[in-house]
Amino acid sequence: MTLIFEQLLNGLLYGVMLFLLAAGLTLIFGIMGVINLAHGSLYMVGAFVGTWVANESGHFWLGLLAALPAAMIAGFIVELVVMRRLYSRDHLDQVLATFALILIFNETTTIIFGRQPIFSQLPDALATPIEILPGLPYPPYRLLIILAGLLAALGLYLLINKTRIGMLVRAGSTSREMVRALGVDIRLLYTAVFGLGALLAGLAGFMTGPVLAVQVGMGEQILLATFVVVVIGGVGSIKGAFIAGIVLGVVDTCLRAFLPGMLATFMPGPEAHSLGIGIASMGIYLLMAIVLLFRPKGLFPVGG
Amino acid sequence: MSRTVSIALGLALVILVLALVPPISQALGERSFPSLVARIMIYAIAVASLNLILGYGGMVSFGHAAFFGIGNYVVGILYYHHAEGVPLWGIIPGTDQLLITLPAAVIVAGIAALAIGAMALRTGGVQFIMITLAFAQMLYFFFVSLQQYGGDDGMIIRKSNQLFGLNLRDKMVMYYVILVIMVLFFAALWRVVNSSFGAVLAGIRQNERRMTALGISTYRYKLYGFVLAGMGAGLAGGLMAVFLRFASPDTLHWTESGELMIMVLMGGVGTFFGPVLGAAAYLFLQTYLSAWTEHWQLVFGLILLVVVLGTRGGLSGLLSRLTRGRS
């Protein structure tokens, strides 16, 4: 029982990570109509800069202060130099240009930080597991990530639903042309949304640092899962990204944790393990295929 | 009339040059060059098949490597069962006869394309891109999880396939086999593209609603195109397994799908010979940049970015602009 509860928490952790990345991506998708494969690279920038600053300064939270602006500035540069030219292009050009950005980001990071993964040192208070249920110790840092992710979701909800900028964002994802026609500086809005997405990606990147290895290519590992979240949730929908992110995070984590064991009850061990991992890895894609077959626009489609 | 003649002459010239590559590079001491050209020819088949749906049909498939990889594995798995002497699922005997393995690769890839396409084509736009990617990733993880066939590491095909007593282990012989297959493939593709079916496909790209209004079942035509493209990629994947004597899950990875798309774009989307140019440009760049610097991906990324943002129509667009400028 405690094992299941622990995996549910791990799934929730992965889910909020997916949400932080998917939120930015779905806004960029929904408002500007751009497929941005390089979103994972912004996540990587946040992770590398934050972890490096934290290690050099010896203060973990200084890393966060560095990671957020670094990812945001990287986002602004990407938007100003590359993305602007892609808004009017077709999806093929967008996929390829942002694919090129992945290569550029990865190699530049390799040149600066090397190929070895880097690790960050957590403050002791966050690293020592606490007993959240009888017989279930859990690292407080992981709880903090979940909390931060949920807070970010709440903040985003308030920003989108209660502020003027949020109103423009919502209007932009429903009818881009109309917002432009009403005299809103759409280019400024695009840059702001892109920066916001980059900020969230950087936050996710820095926070996963102590949990996963910070290494080149980390962006692509999570990128595809993020796209699955965006598509299942419905392009442009923050609510959809949140629900799909949490569900996929939990489903993926539980499949990986329990499927190999379940298969091992009626198969030889090593084969059951590799088959279980294989099917678990396919799980989210299968889920996406099923959702798209019945709801071709995702669960919470935005606009007409 | 004169245009047809000049195209035919140009083609004959290209085939002649390709046929002369091995002896000339032998004479110049460039031993690895024919292998590079052979890989370019194999990729040209895969890229041209992607171009059929992407360039002519307007379907941006981000999962084309799935069919390439299936072809790859069909040849690998048939050889595995031939070598072990144990039939697959107890009924399908293995084989190493090229005249069986390659058609099998084409057919299995075609069936997979039929199943995937039938589902994926119900969506469109971004969702189509993502669902094709999803199916390719599923197949990738499926093959990775098959321990019997090497899992992560892929499988080595120890002995080369058989064809009329030719020694396919000899890279030179293999080179000409690949050349012949490529020429046959492009001849077949020429028929397809210039048939009424090709015209319908192009019509769907330009305006699907209009084609529907003309009474054409666009879904069916798109599905036919998707299956044909999958078969082409299966042929290329099978040929690659025969050539490298190795089948690997890397051939199904999503970056491979991305590379195929890059080659389509570099050559020129929706042009007949663009895929050959695109495959050549990509593999030359990859080979020579990586020999020049460890960080070749940075240079390549920058080149790709400039190509995407700065050019229209890729290399063949550039070529036709140059030739038009002269005449």
Side-chain angles (χ1 to χ4, degrees):
Chain A
M1 189 58 215
T2 53
L3 188 65
I4 293 177
F5 192 71
E6 186 184 353
Q7 291 303 340
L8 282 179
L9 276 179
N10 285 341
L12 195 59
L13 175 98
Y14 186 42
V16 297
M17 279 300 146
L18 286 177
F19 165 69
L20 285 179
L21 282 166
L25 204 55
T26 202
L27 284 179
I28 294 167
F29 242 156
I31 297 173
M32 309 165 200
V34 170
I35 299 179
N36 177 22
L37 293 184
H39 203 64
S41 300
L42 301 170
Y43 163 85
M44 182 178 74
V45 168
F48 265 97
V49 172
T51 308
W52 183 76
V53 168
N55 284 346
E56 291 292 307
S57 67
H59 293 286
F60 183 72
W61 298 111
L62 267 187
L64 182 64
L65 283 182
L68 298 184
M72 200 153 146
I73 290 169
F76 282 145
I77 294 174
V78 165
E79 204 273 343
L80 291 175
V81 178
V82 180
M83 288 297 161
R84 286 220 158 159
R85 297 161 207 271
L86 291 174
Y87 295 143
S88 58
R89 300 288 194 87
D90 58 14
H91 288 323
L92 178 67
D93 283 358
Q94 296 166 355
V95 166
L96 292 175
T98 51
F99 194 90
L101 282 178
I102 293 183
L103 297 178
I104 294 170
F105 267 106
N106 278 353
E107 278 306 315
T108 313
T109 313
T110 310
I111 291 171
I112 298 175
F113 293 100
R115 288 188 201 282
Q116 296 300 321
I118 59 175
F119 299 94
S120 60
Q121 202 58 49
L122 276 176
D124 284 342
L126 289 176
T128 336
I130 51 170
E131 204 163 24
I132 47 172
L133 277 179
L136 176 59
Y138 202 73
Y141 180 69
R142 290 181 170 234
L143 293 175
L144 192 69
I145 297 181
I146 296 174
L147 189 69
L150 294 177
L151 279 179
L154 182 69
L156 210 53
Y157 170 79
L158 293 177
L159 180 74
I160 300 285
N161 288 299
K162 306 286 178 199
T163 66
R164 189 177 158 74
I165 290 184
M167 191 180 73
L168 291 177
V169 167
R170 273 179 293 145
S173 60
T174 334
S175 173
R176 208 183 317 168
E177 300 305 317
M178 191 54 90
V179 176
R180 197 180 296 165
L182 287 172
V184 174
D185 186 350
I186 201 92
R187 299 178 69 168
L188 200 64
L189 182 68
Y190 283 178
T191 312
V193 167
F194 205 87
L196 177 67
L199 182 83
L200 293 172
L203 175 67
F206 175 72
M207 288 198 306
T208 34
V211 180
L212 305 168
V214 175
Q215 59 187 334
V216 173
M218 64 188 286
E220 288 83 80
Q221 280 174 12
I222 200 163
L223 176 78
L224 290 185
T226 310
F227 268 107
V228 172
V229 169
V230 169
V231 171
I232 289 184
V235 171
S237 162
I238 295 278
K239 184 174 87 176
F242 184 73
I243 294 172
I246 301 292
V247 169
L248 281 189
V250 171
V251 167
D252 187 67
T253 308
C254 288
L255 277 179
R256 275 171 211 279
F258 300 122
L259 195 64
M262 279 158 64
L263 286 177
T265 53
F266 53 88
M267 276 176 79
E271 271 180 37
H273 180 76
S274 74
L275 191 66
I277 294 291
I279 296 177
S281 309
M282 288 157 73
I284 57 168
Y285 299 105
L286 194 63
L287 208 59
M288 169 159 98
I290 293 170
V291 167
L292 284 187
L293 288 181
F294 294 101
R295 303 284 294 264
K297 296 267 173 209
L299 293 178
F300 302 96
V302 169
Chain B
M1 183 62 203
S2 66
R3 189 170 160 269
T4 332
V5 171
S6 64
I7 285 179
L9 279 177
L11 274 183
L13 192 68
V14 170
I15 294 171
L16 186 70
V17 169
L18 283 173
L20 286 177
V21 161
I24 291 177
S25 32
Q26 189 90 10
L28 294 176
E30 295 273 350
R31 290 187 168 280
S32 61
F33 191 72
S35 287
L36 176 61
V37 179
R39 273 177 51 224
I40 289 172
M41 292 193 288
I42 296 174
Y43 267 108
I45 296 175
V47 176
S49 71
L50 176 59
N51 191 34
L52 176 68
I53 50 173
L54 201 159
Y56 290 97
M59 295 169 256
V60 183
S61 165
F62 202 169
H64 206 59
F67 311 116
F68 188 73
I70 287 174
N72 209 246
Y73 265 96
V74 166
V75 171
I77 289 173
L78 284 176
Y79 173 77
Y80 175 88
H81 288 282
H82 173 73
E84 296 283 307
V86 185
L88 174 63
W89 301 318
I91 41 168
I92 304 171
T95 175
D96 65 346
Q97 294 297 322
L98 190 78
L99 287 180
I100 301 174
T101 56
L102 274 191
V106 171
I107 290 167
V108 175
I111 292 170
L114 182 66
I116 292 176
M119 289 186 269
L121 285 169
R122 288 161 52 102
T123 66
V126 173
Q127 281 81 10
F128 179 76
I129 298 178
M130 289 301 146
I131 200 168
T132 46
L133 176 66
F135 280 116
Q137 282 297 100
M138 277 190 254
L139 283 167
Y140 169 76
F141 287 118
F142 172 73
F143 281 110
V144 165
S145 71
L146 294 178
Q147 286 299 308
Q148 189 186 6
Y149 303 125
D152 256 344
D153 302 325
M155 55 203 299
I156 294 171
I157 301 166
R158 251 170 242 297
K159 281 192 189 154
S160 50
N161 270 220
Q162 305 291 320
L163 177 71
F164 307 133
L166 290 172
N167 179 15
L168 295 189
R169 211 180 175 82
D170 185 348
K171 292 281 177 214
M172 211 68 112
V173 177
M174 194 62 215
Y175 180 94
Y176 287 106
V177 171
I178 293 170
L179 177 61
V180 169
I181 292 177
M182 184 188 78
V183 170
L184 290 177
F185 172 81
F186 273 91
L189 188 67
W190 179 263
R191 293 293 301 266
V192 169
V193 167
N194 290 300
S195 64
S196 58
F197 169 73
V200 170
L201 214 53
I204 292 174
R205 184 196 68 232
Q206 285 160 15
N207 193 332
E208 183 160 355
R209 204 176 274 178
R210 195 177 293 161
M211 294 314 274
T212 314
L214 285 174
I216 286 165
S217 162
T218 55
Y219 174 83
R220 242 179 46 211
Y221 277 89
K222 286 200 284 188
L223 187 57
Y224 294 157
F226 198 85
V227 171
L228 280 179
M231 290 166 77
L235 173 67
L239 210 49
M240 192 58 105
V242 175
F243 177 63
L244 296 179
R245 283 188 275 118
F246 183 58
S248 150
D250 290 345
T251 50
L252 294 111
H253 199 251
W254 72 278
T255 48
E256 185 81 17
S257 297
E259 282 175 7
L260 291 176
M261 286 166 82
I262 292 174
M263 293 185 220
V264 170
L265 182 101
M266 286 179 97
V269 179
T271 55
F272 189 75
F273 290 110
V276 186
L277 293 173
Y282 183 85
L283 291 172
F284 274 130
L285 273 178
Q286 190 193 48
T287 309
Y288 291 108
L289 283 181
S290 62
W292 172 56
T293 164
E294 177 194 3
H295 302 293
W296 70 276
Q297 291 202 330
L298 178 60
V299 186
F300 183 74
L302 289 169
I303 294 175
L304 179 61
L305 200 57
V306 170
V307 169
V308 177
L309 294 180
T311 69
R312 292 288 174 131
L315 279 177
S316 43
L318 201 64
L319 277 183
S320 68
R321 246 171 288 155
L322 285 178
T323 47
R324 224 178 297 143
R326 257 186 289 151
S327 59

